Amino acid sequence: MSALRDLIVGEAELDNEDEESYDEETGEVRRKINGSNGVNGVNGHVQDSSEEDEDDDDEEAARLVREGFIVEDEEEPEERERRRQERKKRRREEREEEEAGLDEEDLDLIGEALPDSERRVTNEPKFKRLKRGHKGDRDGRPKNVGEIFDDDEEDDQARSIDGARRADGRGLEDEFAGFIEEDFEDEAGQALDEDDDADIRRKPSRNVIGIPDAAGLDEVALEDMKEAFGTGFEYDWALELQEQEQEDQNRQDPEDPDAIAKGLELKDVFEPSQLADRMLTDEDNRIRYSDQPERFQLARKPYRDLELSDEEFREESIWISDLTWPKKSIALGNEHREAFQKSVAKVLEFMNIDDYEVPFIFQHRKDYLIHAQRISVSPDPYNPNAPNSVISAEKLLTQSDLWDIFDLDLKFRALIEKRHALQRTYDNLASMLQDGWKDSVVEEMLPAAITMEELQDVQDYLHFQHSARLGDMAAMNGSSTNGAIQRRPGASKMIFERVRTGKVYGLVRAFGISADAFAQNALNKEGRRQFTEDPSQRPDDMADSEDILDPPDYSSGSQCMRAAKAMFAEEIALSPKMRKVVRQTFFMNGIVDCHRTEKGLRKIDDQHPYYDFKYLRNQQLTDIARKPDRFLRMLKAEEEGLVEVKVRIENSESFRKKLYSVLESDNFSEIADAWNRERREALDMALSKLERLMARGVKEALKTQCENEIAIACREEYGRRLDQAPYKPKGMIIGTTPRVIALSNGTSQVGRDAVCWAFLDEHGRVVGNGKYVDLAVGDPERGTDDGADVDAFIDLMRHLKPDVIGVSGFSAETRKLYKQLDEIVERKELHGAEYEDEDGKSRTDRLEVLIVNDEVARLYQSSDRANMEHPGFAPLTKYCVGLAKYLQDPMKEYASLGRDIISISFDPAQRYVPQEKIIKALETAMVDMVNLCGVEVNEAVGDLYKANLLPYVSGLGPRKAQQLLKVININGGVATTRSELVGEQDRNIIAAVGPKIWNNCASFLYIDFDSSEPEADYLDGTRVHPEDYDLGRKMAADALELDEEDIEAETQENGQGAIVRKLIKDDAQEKVNDLILEEYAEQLEKNFNQRKRATLETIRAELQQPYEELRRPFALLSTNEIFTMFTGETPDSLCEGMIVPISIKKVADDYVEAKLDCGIEGVVPALSVSNRPEVSAKQLFSVRQTVQAKIIYLNRKQLTANFSLREDELQKPFRREVDRMTDEWDDAEEQKDKESMMEKNDVSGRTQRVIKHPLFKPFNSVQAEEYLGSQARGDLVIRPSSKGLDHLAVTWKVSDNIYQHIDVLELDKTNALSSGTTLKVGGRYNYSDLDELIVNHVKAMAKKVDEMMLHEKYQNSSRADTERWLTTYTEANPKRSVYNFCIDPRHPGYFFLCFKAGQHARVQQWPVKVVPQAFELQKNMYPDMRALCNGFKMVIGSMMQNKGRR
């Protein structure tokens, strides 16, 4: 997209030859060619020489009015006509421009059509125009045969025609020249060949898409772009129709009904996907303009037409109370049950009737969430004036409870909707059958169903018992039942229907009790209500009688009996009451067992993350609920085929016997015994089906509950991270924005590579940035000087005067940088800004150096937002900017992430929970915190970071926040009062929100009080809702002790807010503390039935400190959090006792210095080097050697460790201690499996090798492939080799279902079973140990495979599909050549290079072999994909030249 970027005004002024190469992380300049780098300013922004037209905003506003986004105020006809003529003239002038520009949205669309192109990055205004780059910037170098198979594939049609006219018969070289252009531009960034003569001859166009040279795009890109977006002339008809419409409106007769001009809509011009991305569909507009909270509309969309009756509303409050009370009762006690239910009912009223969102209810209806009662107290003999009663308040509902009620309200609506649908089905069936027909089971169970499962039971029963009637009803109504639920009957239902309507059903009746009566007996715990009656005949005799036999389907007694038992069992299994009995039993007495599969037996060893439940048994459902992460991992393992999770009833035989006793008859006779046997068999059949069904239901319910628990845990953790104010500078009040300098070394080595820094002032602007290398502080006692950059850093600190220094990075090396900076601050006495202490004296404190949480900065450095804000910064500098922004306000940084917030880990188990559920939970946490802090609405108009908070304001959402900002801009760009947001007709102020939305959001959108503004109201800058302004003014008047006459005079003179203004002007806010608010609250509740006790407290606080910062102070990272951030390890993944590979850095006679892969450095003390103290460490180990070591001490704060290399220590494997109950683990099966695995190894006939390596497994090739099946690409196992004891095999995963087996020859072995000290692979690669082989051979090849498969020329398809694609492409582009790569599944480690040199050439394939650090093609080695592609072009070009000469 470099040529496309030349179109941008400002960037088009840059010389393409003035490019520089820089380090991708630090941005360090390596080389610069011919001049400057084209950037200036601290942000590296490009200077823009063009200016935006001043009336663009007016044009935009007019466009919004035309498209119906904003309702324009009534205008005079003359004014409207004048504006119409101006717009018409402006459009005509724009169309007549010779060179039109692409706006930002067009460029975005081009970027979507060309995903491989680089997106334009700029921080210029949205409507900046673009222009063509100068022809002088384009290089006119000729192409040669070496450029065939280049990637951009430009072959402009005009140039092709002109080139044909000038052809001079250069033969084969000309035939192939220019088919495909360079994959990679040269370092000078030279443009592709352009034909200037053809460009001059080309007819000037007003559309850039029609000018390839102007856009800098090749023909293929232009053809794709035209195909996707057109040439730009497609919408001329829309403009012409619009002009014609306006002209017709001037000419048409208003009394002529046929002269109505039809207006164009957005959907007539733009693709639906484009409108959806910009939230401009009809549905988006409905949400945007509907006066209902956006979150309510989105959540209730499936139930938009559902209206709850008063009875259903009362049922809902009881239903939700019953579901939430078990947890709340622990804290509240049973005495508050009634108050709790009333509170829940009131919250539902606020949500469903008043359309109040959770933040509004929590902030402004807090008194309804509290149960307050007056309690008498004993008189105080020492204080006769003491009150004889006190108010006791108990918080019934928290803000988290309100969100739970909101979710349960949605579930209840789904429940009611399904109940209504079932009721319609039943009513339609009853009306069709008439004659007073009814089904007592449906009429009893349908209204009583309180869960979706119970409703499903009723539905299954209805469709089983009345399938034929429902089919007839559907046929009569034309397959429609007025919204009722219909299902197509299956074959089994048809069989049961034949039994029900045939003679065999008499045998079912002979069981002596109906399925419903039996289920009722089982459900009734007090006793049986109906007894079982025995027939007079034996079951076999009755089955053989003529009354039962029903040929041809049932011609024998045994057939009839089997059919009757199956029918009776099905009736029991489909009985809603029986299902309720079994379901209740499962939930009360359910047991979860985990059984490993054959695959799990081999794959899950004692180091596997699933081993903690491989033999888990007898888990109560409460045990599962206490460890939700473990159960989700169990289900994941089951999904992978490693275990089987089974749910059963504890003491199931006892439960079955109880049901037998309920079903059997009490008679004592041979006939009764025979029938009881048949009844038991039928019940067994029913229970078998019910147990399978209920087990699935219980597992699904447990899964949902565990997912909810993890989502709640994520929400709480996110809320904790959001609940921190900006870092508070010394001497400042909490909430003050600090000046921050942030530094980072990234992954570089401190003292050797660059350390980037960025400084942000208190307004969040990047004032400076740069880099240092040597910040080490010298030691005069040892004669060492300060580092080269220490003085410069000190001068910078004293010049910028930051309030805090933030440090972070990607490795343990950052800990060294932190120590260096802390030492500089301490020894050089660097202090922050001055401030006044409590005594009024000026003082300064030592600068604080903090390690900053970088989870947001890591995402920021590579985001489009960072590229737009700081296009000239290196990624590591952008990372520093992100760190500084986080210190200034964590909440704004989290809000700016949008849906990318899911990339941050809040709980280790969140990966097992659906992303949408996590995002929804996280959103509620952000909504809570944003509404706690409020948003200054005028700052949000001009500050993108503030604007990111608006969608989380109560009542708003992305669409309504967008509309709010647009309308405020149209109204002048500034809101003076909160009332302006709902519109003021007398002042021609357009409403930005409707009345309900305004009620929800008014108090959370504040406006800083400006005493110079006559209409400004102090309360508009507080958390006080406008509905309570009168209370605030009354409290201010009472605090000032003004009588009614004074109040009236002050109000008449200075407006409604005059009293509060006077309170502020007189600096008398503290007087409100003298008011007795309890009496106010009692009067309000008594006279106006309003509970405002908590509201009055809020008003008192806000009058003294408006929108005081209520978040906790900035949170410092704990030792474990810093450890995980710098190393990527957790306390579970790295701890004492583990055996890990270490890389040796230094070897002395009596100790060894080493380093872990995660960056932790450590030492092996003398006594831990070896079991043989007489042997020197230098004789055993060498520098850069990788060996296995045991961690004997781990310092998580200093990121250091002590290791042991003693053989006796390494022979003791690490085992994590687990505290289990006696019956929770199947020790017998565990031991049996271990013995079985040992026997299998013995049977294999191989002498078992003892290889001390964590990746060694006693597998054969098949087992190794099975083990690696679910592993990531590049993972491996080391295993015994079938070639003998002097060989090992390494199996690694190349791709899905593709594994390479590497033969490793061991040399220099001390004995037959030991590992060789020299390992040889393929006769050409030698390694000293297994770890070196893994890193430098297998992992090196895996990186090359990743590089190949991530390349743009790689096709993730078979060779045949790739060849078909090449053929199709060349048929569509006859004069072009093309190539692609695809994997060779038959030869692991190989790829095909498939190419086709023109339409009539045959497709050819060359093998590409992956070797460590390179690709091998035609016996040539290439270090990377760039070299491979260019090498291929050179080889094929040379072959074509030789062919042409022959």
Coordinates of all heavy atoms in Angstrom, one line a residue, residues 1289-1335:
A1289 N 14.6 -41.9 18.6 CA 13.7 -41.4 17.7 C 13.0 -40.1 18.2 O 12.6 -40.1 19.4 CB 12.6 -42.4 17.3
V1290 N 12.9 -39.1 17.4 CA 12.2 -37.9 17.8 C 11.0 -37.7 16.8 O 11.2 -37.6 15.6 CB 13.1 -36.7 17.7 CG1 12.3 -35.4 18.0 CG2 14.3 -36.8 18.7
T1291 N 9.8 -37.7 17.4 CA 8.6 -37.5 16.6 C 8.1 -36.1 16.8 O 7.8 -35.7 18.0 CB 7.5 -38.5 16.9 OG1 8.1 -39.8 16.6 CG2 6.3 -38.3 16.0
W1292 N 7.9 -35.3 15.8 CA 7.4 -33.9 16.0 C 6.2 -33.7 15.0 O 6.2 -34.2 13.9 CB 8.5 -32.9 15.9 CG 9.0 -32.6 14.5 CD1 9.9 -33.4 13.9 CD2 8.8 -31.5 13.7 NE1 10.2 -32.9 12.6 CE2 9.5 -31.7 12.5 CE3 8.0 -30.4 13.8 CZ2 9.5 -30.8 11.5 CZ3 8.0 -29.5 12.7 CH2 8.7 -29.7 11.6
K1293 N 5.3 -32.8 15.5 CA 4.1 -32.5 14.7 C 4.4 -31.4 13.7 O 4.7 -30.3 14.1 CB 3.0 -32.1 15.6 CG 1.6 -31.9 14.9 CD 0.5 -31.6 15.9 CE -0.8 -31.5 15.2 NZ -1.9 -31.3 16.2
V1294 N 4.4 -31.8 12.4 CA 4.6 -30.8 11.4 C 3.3 -30.0 11.1 O 3.3 -28.7 11.0 CB 5.0 -31.5 10.1 CG1 5.3 -30.5 9.0 CG2 6.3 -32.3 10.3
S1295 N 2.2 -30.6 11.0 CA 0.9 -30.0 10.9 C -0.2 -31.0 11.3 O 0.2 -32.1 11.8 CB 0.7 -29.6 9.4 OG -0.5 -28.8 9.3
D1296 N -1.4 -30.7 11.1 CA -2.5 -31.6 11.5 C -2.3 -32.9 10.7 O -2.3 -32.9 9.5 CB -3.8 -31.0 11.3 CG -4.1 -29.8 12.2 OD1 -3.5 -29.8 13.3 OD2 -5.0 -29.0 11.9
N1297 N -2.2 -34.0 11.5 CA -2.1 -35.4 10.9 C -0.9 -35.6 10.1 O -0.8 -36.5 9.3 CB -3.4 -35.7 10.0 CG -4.6 -35.6 10.8 OD1 -4.7 -36.1 12.0 ND2 -5.7 -35.0 10.2
I1298 N 0.1 -34.8 10.3 CA 1.4 -34.9 9.6 C 2.5 -34.9 10.7 O 2.7 -33.9 11.4 CB 1.7 -33.8 8.5 CG1 0.5 -33.8 7.5 CG2 3.0 -34.0 7.9 CD1 0.6 -32.7 6.5
Y1299 N 3.3 -36.0 10.8 CA 4.3 -36.1 11.8 C 5.6 -36.6 11.1 O 5.6 -37.5 10.3 CB 3.9 -37.1 12.9 CG 2.5 -36.8 13.4 CD1 1.4 -37.4 12.9 CD2 2.3 -35.9 14.5 CE1 0.1 -37.1 13.4 CE2 1.1 -35.7 15.0 CZ 0.0 -36.3 14.5 OH -1.3 -36.0 15.0
Q1300 N 6.7 -36.0 11.6 CA 8.0 -36.4 11.0 C 8.7 -37.2 12.1 O 8.8 -36.7 13.3 CB 8.8 -35.2 10.6 CG 10.1 -35.6 9.9 CD 10.9 -34.4 9.5 OE1 11.0 -33.4 10.2 NE2 11.5 -34.5 8.3
H1301 N 9.3 -38.3 11.7 CA 10.1 -39.2 12.7 C 11.5 -39.0 12.3 O 12.0 -39.4 11.2 CB 9.6 -40.6 12.6 CG 8.2 -40.8 12.8 ND1 7.6 -40.8 14.1 CD2 7.1 -41.0 11.9 CE1 6.3 -41.0 14.0 NE2 6.0 -41.2 12.7
I1302 N 12.3 -38.5 13.3 CA 13.7 -38.2 13.0 C 14.6 -39.3 13.7 O 14.4 -39.6 14.9 CB 14.1 -36.9 13.6 CG1 13.2 -35.8 12.9 CG2 15.6 -36.6 13.4 CD1 13.4 -34.4 13.5
D1303 N 15.5 -39.9 13.0 CA 16.4 -40.9 13.6 C 17.6 -40.2 14.1 O 18.2 -39.4 13.4 CB 16.8 -41.9 12.5 CG 17.8 -43.0 13.0 OD1 17.5 -43.5 14.2 OD2 18.8 -43.2 12.3
V1304 N 17.9 -40.5 15.4 CA 19.0 -39.8 16.0 C 20.1 -40.9 16.4 O 19.8 -41.9 17.1 CB 18.6 -39.1 17.3 CG1 19.8 -38.4 18.0 CG2 17.5 -38.0 17.0
L1305 N 21.3 -40.8 15.8 CA 22.3 -41.7 16.1 C 23.1 -41.2 17.3 O 23.6 -40.1 17.3 CB 23.2 -41.9 14.9 CG 24.5 -42.8 15.1 CD1 24.1 -44.2 15.4 CD2 25.4 -42.7 13.8
E1306 N 23.3 -42.1 18.3 CA 24.0 -41.7 19.5 C 25.5 -42.3 19.4 O 25.7 -43.4 19.2 CB 23.3 -42.3 20.8 CG 21.9 -41.9 21.0 CD 21.3 -42.5 22.2 OE1 21.4 -42.0 23.3 OE2 20.7 -43.6 22.0
L1307 N 26.4 -41.3 19.7 CA 27.8 -41.7 19.7 C 28.4 -41.3 21.0 O 27.9 -40.6 21.8 CB 28.5 -40.9 18.5 CG 28.0 -41.1 17.1 CD1 28.7 -40.2 16.1 CD2 28.1 -42.6 16.7
D1308 N 29.6 -41.9 21.3 CA 30.3 -41.7 22.5 C 29.5 -42.0 23.7 O 29.4 -41.2 24.7 CB 30.8 -40.2 22.6 CG 31.6 -39.8 21.4 OD1 32.4 -40.7 20.9 OD2 31.6 -38.7 21.0
K1309 N 28.9 -43.2 23.8 CA 28.1 -43.6 24.9 C 28.9 -44.3 25.9 O 29.8 -45.0 25.6 CB 27.0 -44.6 24.4 CG 26.0 -44.0 23.4 CD 25.2 -45.1 22.7 CE 24.3 -45.9 23.6 NZ 23.1 -45.2 24.1
T1310 N 28.7 -44.0 27.2 CA 29.4 -44.6 28.3 C 29.0 -46.0 28.5 O 29.8 -46.9 29.0 CB 29.2 -43.8 29.6 OG1 27.8 -43.7 29.9 CG2 29.8 -42.4 29.4
N1311 N 27.7 -46.3 28.3 CA 27.2 -47.7 28.3 C 26.0 -47.8 27.4 O 25.6 -46.8 26.8 CB 26.8 -48.1 29.8 CG 25.7 -47.2 30.4 OD1 24.6 -47.2 29.9 ND2 26.1 -46.5 31.4
A1312 N 25.5 -49.0 27.3 CA 24.5 -49.3 26.3 C 23.2 -48.5 26.5 O 22.5 -48.1 25.6 CB 24.2 -50.8 26.2
L1313 N 22.8 -48.3 27.8 CA 21.6 -47.7 28.1 C 21.7 -46.2 28.3 O 20.7 -45.5 28.5 CB 20.9 -48.3 29.3 CG 20.6 -49.8 29.2 CD1 20.0 -50.3 30.5 CD2 19.6 -50.0 28.0
S1314 N 22.9 -45.6 28.4 CA 23.0 -44.2 28.7 C 22.8 -43.4 27.4 O 22.8 -44.0 26.3 CB 24.4 -43.9 29.2 OG 25.4 -44.2 28.3
S1315 N 22.7 -42.1 27.5 CA 22.5 -41.3 26.3 C 23.9 -40.9 25.8 O 24.8 -40.6 26.5 CB 21.7 -40.0 26.7 OG 21.6 -39.2 25.6
G1316 N 24.0 -40.8 24.5 CA 25.3 -40.5 23.8 C 25.6 -39.0 24.0 O 24.7 -38.2 24.1
T1317 N 26.9 -38.7 24.1 CA 27.3 -37.4 24.3 C 27.4 -36.6 22.9 O 27.6 -35.4 22.9 CB 28.7 -37.3 25.0 OG1 29.6 -38.1 24.2 CG2 28.6 -37.9 26.4
T1318 N 27.3 -37.4 21.9 CA 27.3 -36.8 20.5 C 26.0 -37.4 19.8 O 25.9 -38.6 19.7 CB 28.5 -37.1 19.7 OG1 29.7 -36.5 20.4 CG2 28.4 -36.5 18.3
L1319 N 25.2 -36.5 19.3 CA 23.9 -37.0 18.7 C 24.0 -36.5 17.2 O 24.2 -35.3 16.9 CB 22.7 -36.4 19.4 CG 22.6 -36.6 20.9 CD1 21.4 -35.9 21.4 CD2 22.5 -38.1 21.1
K1320 N 23.9 -37.4 16.3 CA 24.0 -37.1 14.9 C 22.7 -37.4 14.2 O 22.0 -38.4 14.4 CB 25.1 -37.9 14.2 CG 25.3 -37.7 12.7 CD 26.6 -38.3 12.2 CE 27.8 -37.6 12.7 NZ 29.0 -38.0 12.0
V1321 N 22.2 -36.4 13.4 CA 21.0 -36.5 12.6 C 21.3 -36.4 11.1 O 21.9 -35.4 10.7 CB 20.0 -35.4 13.0 CG1 18.7 -35.5 12.2 CG2 19.7 -35.5 14.5
G1322 N 20.8 -37.4 10.4 CA 21.0 -37.3 8.9 C 22.4 -37.3 8.4 O 22.7 -37.0 7.3
G1323 N 23.3 -37.6 9.3 CA 24.7 -37.7 8.8 C 25.4 -36.3 8.7 O 26.6 -36.2 8.3
R1324 N 24.7 -35.2 8.9 CA 25.2 -33.9 8.7 C 25.0 -32.9 9.9 O 25.6 -31.9 9.9 CB 24.6 -33.3 7.4 CG 23.1 -33.3 7.5 CD 22.5 -33.0 6.1 NE 22.7 -31.6 5.7 CZ 22.1 -31.0 4.7 NH1 21.1 -31.7 4.0 NH2 22.4 -29.8 4.3
Y1325 N 24.2 -33.3 10.8 CA 24.0 -32.4 12.0 C 24.4 -33.1 13.2 O 24.0 -34.2 13.6 CB 22.5 -32.0 12.1 CG 21.9 -31.3 10.8 CD1 21.1 -32.0 9.9 CD2 22.2 -30.0 10.6 CE1 20.6 -31.5 8.8 CE2 21.7 -29.4 9.4 CZ 20.9 -30.1 8.5 OH 20.4 -29.5 7.4
N1326 N 25.3 -32.4 14.0 CA 25.8 -33.0 15.3 C 25.4 -32.1 16.4 O 25.4 -30.8 16.3 CB 27.3 -33.0 15.2 CG 27.8 -34.0 14.2 OD1 27.2 -35.0 13.9 ND2 29.0 -33.8 13.6
Y1327 N 25.0 -32.7 17.5 CA 24.5 -32.0 18.7 C 25.1 -32.7 19.9 O 25.4 -33.9 19.9 CB 23.0 -32.0 18.8 CG 22.4 -31.3 17.6 CD1 21.8 -32.2 16.6 CD2 22.3 -30.0 17.4 CE1 21.2 -31.6 15.5 CE2 21.8 -29.4 16.3 CZ 21.2 -30.2 15.3 OH 20.6 -29.7 14.2
S1328 N 25.3 -31.9 21.0 CA 26.0 -32.4 22.2 C 25.0 -33.1 23.2 O 25.3 -33.9 24.0 CB 26.7 -31.3 22.9 OG 25.8 -30.3 23.3
D1329 N 23.7 -32.7 23.1 CA 22.7 -33.3 24.0 C 21.3 -33.1 23.4 O 21.2 -32.4 22.4 CB 22.8 -32.7 25.4 CG 22.6 -31.1 25.4 OD1 21.9 -30.6 24.6 OD2 23.2 -30.5 26.3
L1330 N 20.3 -33.6 24.1 CA 19.0 -33.6 23.5 C 18.4 -32.2 23.5 O 17.6 -31.9 22.6 CB 18.1 -34.5 24.4 CG 18.3 -36.0 24.2 CD1 17.5 -36.8 25.2 CD2 17.9 -36.5 22.7
D1331 N 18.7 -31.4 24.5 CA 18.1 -30.1 24.5 C 18.6 -29.2 23.4 O 17.9 -28.4 22.8 CB 18.4 -29.4 25.9 CG 17.6 -30.0 27.0 OD1 16.4 -29.9 27.0 OD2 18.3 -30.6 27.9
E1332 N 19.9 -29.4 23.1 CA 20.5 -28.7 21.9 C 19.8 -29.1 20.6 O 19.5 -28.4 19.7 CB 22.0 -28.8 21.9 CG 22.6 -28.0 20.7 CD 24.1 -28.3 20.6 OE1 24.6 -29.1 21.4 OE2 24.7 -27.7 19.8
L1333 N 19.6 -30.4 20.5 CA 18.9 -31.0 19.3 C 17.5 -30.4 19.2 O 17.1 -30.1 18.1 CB 18.9 -32.5 19.4 CG 18.3 -33.3 18.2 CD1 19.1 -34.6 18.0 CD2 16.9 -33.6 18.5
I1334 N 16.8 -30.4 20.3 CA 15.4 -29.9 20.3 C 15.4 -28.4 19.8 O 14.6 -28.0 18.9 CB 14.8 -30.0 21.6 CG1 14.6 -31.5 22.0 CG2 13.5 -29.3 21.7 CD1 14.1 -31.7 23.4
V1335 N 16.3 -27.6 20.4 CA 16.2 -26.1 20.1 C 16.8 -25.9 18.7 O 16.1 -25.1 17.9 CB 17.0 -25.3 21.1 CG1 17.1 -23.9 20.7 CG2 16.3 -25.5 22.5

